[in-house]
Amino acid sequence: GQQVMQIPQYQHVQEGEDFTTYCNSSTTLSNIQWYKQRPGGHPVFLIQLVKSGEVKKQKRLTFQFGEAKKNSSLHITATQTTDVGTYFCAGDFGNEKLTFGTGTRLTIIP
Amino acid sequence: ETGVTQTPRHLVMGMTNKKSLKCEQHLGHNAMYWYKQSAKKPLELMFVYSLEERVENNSVPSRFSPECPNSSHLFLHLHTLQPEDSALYLCASSPRDFHYEQYFGPGTRLTVT
């Protein structure tokens, strides 16, 4: 079946260090979405990428969509304690639903 | 954020009980979703409603029964659940369909004893 693999599963970083999570699909995606879920909270939409090679920025967050539209990444520069949470990618294969990755749980060491 | 609300927030039920989860969205969206979130598993889509019609039933056991009386309300009726059904149940809505960003409610933490 169509799956979205996300790595790493966990990431512990010192405050101020950078963080990156990767999302990979075996087949081409129509688009990809990114969500953040704080501990004890619910997923919150961050961004949607649609075009091949697209790069979008939100303050310290940089999102990329691969040229082949099979992979994506989220990079956070100079992490802060407010960045703690689990980051999910969700792929749209054009089959009537989003397929979520397993998420990357980010913890920050102050 | 109060765009999507869910009640109850926590629910403990026995395997022979019948209960219902409620979701309401105040965003004027046309599509609503039920997801199950278990530990160490990806979010699992259960049901999708678009303009009050069910468009996706992701091989969910019949002990889960959805109801969408209008575009603002969504229910999940539960009966004779199993302990492995314990999870966080999330409701979400989107402007039209799954191609658009989804707005999640706070979830109902369900424990089946």
Side-chain angles (χ1 to χ4, degrees):
Chain A
Q2 290 162 328
Q3 288 185 315
V4 173
M5 306 303 295
Q6 195 171 349
I7 55 169
Q9 190 174 357
Y10 302 95
Q11 186 81 59
H12 312 282
V13 301
Q14 288 275 354
E15 188 175 6
E17 289 183 344
D18 293 356
F19 159 77
T20 305
T21 173
Y22 301 90
C23 208
N24 296 290
S25 166
S26 58
T27 57
T28 302
L29 297 163
S30 297
N31 68 74
I32 194 159
Q33 300 178 16
W34 285 92
Y35 292 79
K36 175 185 178 181
Q37 185 172 16
R38 293 181 185 273
H42 57 277
V44 174
F45 173 78
L46 294 176
I47 209 156
Q48 182 180 47
L49 303 171
V50 180
K51 299 176 183 176
S52 169
E54 189 169 16
V55 178
K56 287 189 175 180
K57 292 190 175 185
Q58 291 179 349
K59 297 184 180 178
R60 294 178 294 105
L61 277 61
T62 302
F63 303 85
Q64 292 189 323
F65 202 9
E67 294 289 341
K69 299 182 73 174
K70 289 184 179 181
N71 54 70
S72 181
S73 65
L74 158 59
H75 179 81
I76 303 179
T77 304
T79 55
Q80 301 175 358
T81 54
T82 53
D83 296 325
V84 164
T86 301
Y87 293 84
F88 294 95
C89 61
D92 176 0
F93 290 97
N95 61 347
E96 304 293 331
K97 66 178 182 181
L98 283 180
T99 301
F100 280 80
T102 48
T104 296
R105 181 177 294 181
L106 172 64
T107 56
I108 306 287
I109 306 165
Chain B
E1 298 174 13
T2 58
V4 181
T5 58
Q6 288 186 246
T7 55
R9 295 294 305 277
H10 301 272
L11 178 62
V12 179
M13 59 186 289
M15 289 189 284
T16 57
N17 290 160
K18 288 184 180 182
K19 296 285 184 183
S20 295
L21 309 185
K22 179 183 176 182
C23 175
E24 185 173 359
Q25 60 97 359
H26 312 273
L27 301 168
H29 289 169
N30 289 334
M32 296 187 76
Y33 311 80
W34 279 117
Y35 285 91
K36 177 183 178 183
Q37 187 173 41
S38 306
K40 300 183 180 179
K41 283 187 176 182
L43 273 168
E44 300 173 57
L45 178 66
M46 300 176 72
F47 301 103
V48 180
Y49 278 84
S50 179
L51 295 173
E52 301 149 47
E53 287 191 19
R54 191 191 304 181
V55 295
E56 177 78 17
N57 176 357
N58 214 28
S59 303
V60 178
S62 60
R63 56 186 184 269
F64 295 91
S65 174
E67 178 189 0
C68 187
N70 55 63
S71 59
S72 299
H73 294 86
L74 187 64
F75 295 89
L76 187 62
H77 304 299
L78 317 170
H79 65 97
T80 59
L81 295 191
Q82 305 298 311
E84 59 264 28
D85 297 323
S86 299
L88 181 67
Y89 288 85
L90 291 160
C91 173
S93 70
S94 63
R96 277 156 49 183
D97 57 30
F98 65 95
H99 296 295
Y100 296 83
E101 68 271 21
Q102 296 186 12
Y103 295 79
F104 285 82
T108 295
R109 174 67 62 185
L110 174 67
T111 303
V112 181
T113 60

